Amino acid sequence: MTEPTELDKEMLEKANVKKEQFKTDMIKYRAIFLLDDSNDYPFFLYLASIMNFVEFHNGGCLTELGMKSLELDISPYIKQIQTGDPKLSQKDLVRFLLNLMNSYASTFLAKGLFDFCNEDPVKFFELNDFPSAIKEDFEKLSAKAEIVIPKLKQVLDAYSPTLDGKYKKVFLEEKGKGFYKPIFDPNALKIKTNRFPTELASARECK
């Protein structure tokens, strides 16, 4: 058996640091979510942190930009859309839609992860050492994700056409920057797939 090189050891150490960071994030966002599980804001961050934990060896699933987008408080934008006073600017509409797109994508991917886990939970959790409390949340999170996904898509479908040419281009350019892997069709509001590999050895691959 070949001995690991110094570079291999360094990369493994960095990956393990990321893994511990993502585990801390999961625990933090879970605690916030449990304070009010009807609040979607921490729900999306919790799901994103789960996806980051699964993809720790790649530096996470969502980029720093993706996580910052999810942390954005969009309640003022929602109020402006509902009242029209003042009218939401195109720039803020891009921020609003990016938040929704990243929320939608995180939820979509997490639902695929939960479904994949259900195919063989024992082997899945052998590969992914989630804390026991978070494992126990999977069923509840999956059920909520199934409800939320069509609602998010409905809002995205309703408001993305209201972007004008310049800001539509900005949105399409920025939406791919929230994830380390190219999960979107580059010219549409479409995620390629939420199915994970059938091989359990590849269970950590974020499609």
Side-chain angles (χ1 to χ4, degrees), residues 17-54:
V17 168
K18 278 285 187 183
K19 184 179 181 181
E20 289 306 309
Q21 175 195 327
F22 294 143
K23 184 182 287 188
T24 300
D25 288 345
M26 281 195 300
I27 293 167
K28 175 179 73 175
Y29 292 128
R30 178 180 186 270
I32 298 170
F33 172 66
L34 291 180
L35 290 174
D36 180 7
D37 61 11
S38 67
N39 185 351
D40 290 340
Y41 173 74
F43 172 69
F44 299 131
L45 287 164
Y46 187 17
L47 293 186
S49 68
I50 287 173
M51 294 308 305
N52 282 339
F53 183 76
V54 171

Side-chain angles (χ1 to χ4, degrees), residues 51-104:
M51 294 308 305
N52 282 339
F53 183 76
V54 171
E55 283 283 290
F56 76 90
H57 59 296
N58 287 324
C61 181
L62 283 86
T63 63
E64 185 177 351
L65 281 174
M67 291 302 291
K68 282 184 177 178
S69 173
L70 289 182
E71 290 168 357
L72 178 68
D73 178 10
I74 61 171
S75 58
Y77 301 151
I78 294 172
K79 184 177 180 182
Q80 283 179 255
I81 288 171
Q82 290 173 338
T83 64
D85 184 23
K87 182 180 178 182
L88 192 66
S89 70
Q90 287 281 301
K91 191 172 182 179
D92 285 341
L93 182 59
V94 169
R95 293 192 183 104
F96 172 70
L97 290 172
L98 285 173
N99 172 279
L100 292 186
M101 177 56 81
N102 289 324
S103 299
Y104 174 65

Side-chain angles (χ1 to χ4, degrees), residues 112-178:
L113 180 74
F114 300 144
D115 291 345
F116 181 66
C117 171
N118 286 338
E119 293 176 12
D120 195 332
V122 174
K123 287 188 179 179
F124 177 85
F125 288 120
E126 283 176 0
L127 287 166
N128 302 280
D129 56 335
F130 282 92
S132 58
I134 291 170
K135 290 182 195 178
E136 292 167 5
D137 284 347
F138 270 33
E139 184 177 352
K140 175 171 67 175
L141 293 173
S142 181
K144 185 175 175 68
E146 192 164 357
I147 294 168
V148 166
I149 287 169
K151 292 180 179 179
L152 286 171
K153 187 176 185 304
Q154 184 179 17
V155 178
L156 282 164
D157 288 345
Y159 289 99
S160 58
T162 64
L163 287 168
D164 65 27
K166 173 187 173 182
Y167 286 98
K168 180 179 179 181
K169 183 179 178 182
V170 170
F171 175 72
L172 290 173
E173 288 173 350
E174 292 296 316
K175 74 183 175 70
K177 296 178 182 179

